[in-house]
Amino acid sequence: MKYRIVSDSAANLYALEGVDFASVPLKIITGEREYVDAPGLDVARMVEELQHEKGASRTSCPNPHEWLEAFAGSDAIFALTISSALSGSHAAAMHAKEEYLRAQPEAKVCVIDSLSAGAEMLLIAEKLRALIQRGLSFEEIEREIAAYRRHTHVLFCLQSLNNLARNGRISPAMAKIAGVLGIRVLGKGSEEGQLQALHKCRGEKRMLETTYAEMKKAGFAGGRVHIAHCLNEPAAQQLRERILEEHPGCAVTIGACTGLCSFYAEKGGLIVGYEDAGAH
């Protein structure tokens, strides 16, 4: 059986070594430009241009045809999407699954609603790879990944909320207050896949300490962590060092946000995916 993992680009992942992998791009659209979240996108330039954008901006999910193209040629597919509460990507992937199975009824397709975005999606994709490499059956992988997802979490550490407000994710009043007062907002992914605000912090140091405290509160005990940053690697490194102070053997990786996550995290933001103690 030929396994393939397909993810939309909200996972900050264009390639995944050691497994057949495909990324399906989301898009960021303004009145004058369209940014495709795919290899070659100049994220720093996009972020700079969006900071000066006065008009409306929005995101666009992959359509079913794009998902179908990514499925083509495989008979065992795990498709991973950004939270269905934030995007139509999951619905498009489900539609593509139905079409693909009508054309190839012997194939197997599992569409996974991450109920998340960014760094937590990357953890799920890497877990799928590990399960495939163990030689498990399709059904065993489905069961294992469903159990694993109950033990992964995501936190959003944001310096600016402008794009979230423009897209109706939070109130414009909250975004304005955060911008004027220099407040960082720490949020988490809710069980329903929404962004849930937890704390308002003054200064980056306080934000990072509060982030680590929230990780421990949710059951973090030294599992895998991925920190995705939007043009703020120093803050990601500081959080990594804080984690390693208490868990020196912990696997903490750092990566840059790609297009879609950079649009929502904005300059200076972090997205932190991590496992709790029940993940193993």
Side-chain angles (χ1 to χ4, degrees), residues 5-36:
I5 301 171
V6 182
S7 175
D8 64 39
S9 60
N12 292 328
L13 195 62
Y14 296 144
L16 188 59
E17 187 177 350
V19 69
D20 186 5
F21 178 84
S23 175
V24 184
L26 289 102
K27 303 175 182 68
I28 300 95
I29 301 168
T30 71
E32 298 180 352
R33 301 180 182 91
E34 178 179 275
Y35 304 93
V36 180

Side-chain angles (χ1 to χ4, degrees), residues 157 159 184 204-205 207-208 227 229 231-242 254 268-270 272:
C157 314
Q159 293 187 17
R184 272 77 165 172
E204 194 162 76
K205 183 177 180 180
M207 167 67 81
L208 297 177
I227 307 168
H229 68 88
L231 307 176
N232 194 4
E233 187 171 354
Q237 291 286 2
Q238 289 176 48
L239 181 57
R240 180 178 184 272
E241 291 167 7
R242 180 68 184 91
I254 293 173
L270 304 179
V272 184

Side-chain angles (χ1 to χ4, degrees), residues 212 215-216 218-224 246-247 250 274-278:
Y212 184 55
M215 291 173 64
K216 293 196 294 183
F220 174 72
R224 292 166 59 237
E246 294 189 24
H247 301 283
C250 179
Y274 62 98
E275 300 174 336
D276 65 32

Side-chain angles (χ1 to χ4, degrees), residues 39-272:
L41 175 64
D42 187 336
V43 171
R45 179 178 177 181
M46 181 195 80
V47 170
E48 177 70 19
E49 290 174 347
L50 288 172
Q51 285 182 313
H52 297 93
E53 179 66 42
K54 301 300 183 183
S57 56
R58 62 185 178 87
T59 60
S60 175
C61 69
N63 60 47
H65 179 70
E66 290 171 302
W67 280 104
L68 276 172
E69 287 186 326
F71 292 173
S74 182
D75 57 3
I77 300 159
F78 290 94
L80 179 62
T81 78
I82 186 174
S83 172
S84 58
L86 300 176
S87 169
S89 185
H90 181 263
M94 289 295 293
H95 186 70
K97 171 184 175 179
E98 293 171 5
E99 288 196 30
Y100 197 75
L101 293 179
R102 277 198 294 269
Q104 299 190 57
E106 74 287 352
K108 296 182 179 182
V109 182
C110 173
V111 178
I112 301 167
D113 183 353
S114 72
L115 296 175
S116 188
E120 186 177 5
M121 289 180 67
L122 188 147
L123 291 178
I124 296 169
E126 290 181 338
K127 183 66 172 181
L128 283 167
R129 174 179 63 185
L131 295 171
I132 290 169
Q133 290 177 339
R134 280 172 52 190
L136 300 184
S137 70
F138 190 90
E139 292 74 21
E140 287 172 328
I141 294 171
E142 281 188 299
R143 290 194 295 271
E144 290 273 349
I145 204 65
Y148 177 74
R149 289 171 56 226
R150 292 195 288 271
H151 299 287
T152 60
H153 310 267
V154 69
L155 291 171
F156 303 89
C157 314
L158 307 177
Q159 293 187 17
S160 173
L161 307 176
N162 291 331
N163 289 335
L164 284 168
R166 287 175 182 172
N167 282 263
R169 310 303 185 195
I170 63 166
S171 72
M174 180 184 287
K176 185 175 182 180
I177 290 172
V180 171
L181 299 180
I183 292 173
R184 272 77 165 172
V185 174
L186 175 64
K188 72 174 184 177
S190 71
E191 292 184 3
E192 298 77 25
Q194 297 277 10
L195 174 60
Q196 177 183 343
L198 295 173
H199 302 281
K200 301 180 182 70
C201 306
R202 285 188 178 274
E204 194 162 76
K205 183 177 180 180
R206 180 63 182 273
M207 167 67 81
L208 297 177
E209 281 295 332
T210 306
T211 299
Y212 184 55
E214 280 296 325
M215 291 173 64
K216 293 196 294 183
K217 182 179 176 181
F220 174 72
R224 292 166 59 237
V225 182
H226 185 73
I227 307 168
H229 68 88
C230 180
L231 307 176
N232 194 4
E233 187 171 354
Q237 291 286 2
Q238 289 176 48
L239 181 57
R240 180 178 184 272
E241 291 167 7
R242 180 68 184 91
I243 294 167
L244 293 177
E245 283 179 13
E246 294 189 24
H247 301 283
C250 179
V252 185
T253 58
I254 293 173
C257 290
T258 58
L260 188 281
C261 286
S262 292
F263 175 74
Y264 283 120
E266 298 192 58
K267 188 174 182 178
L270 304 179
I271 304 176
V272 184

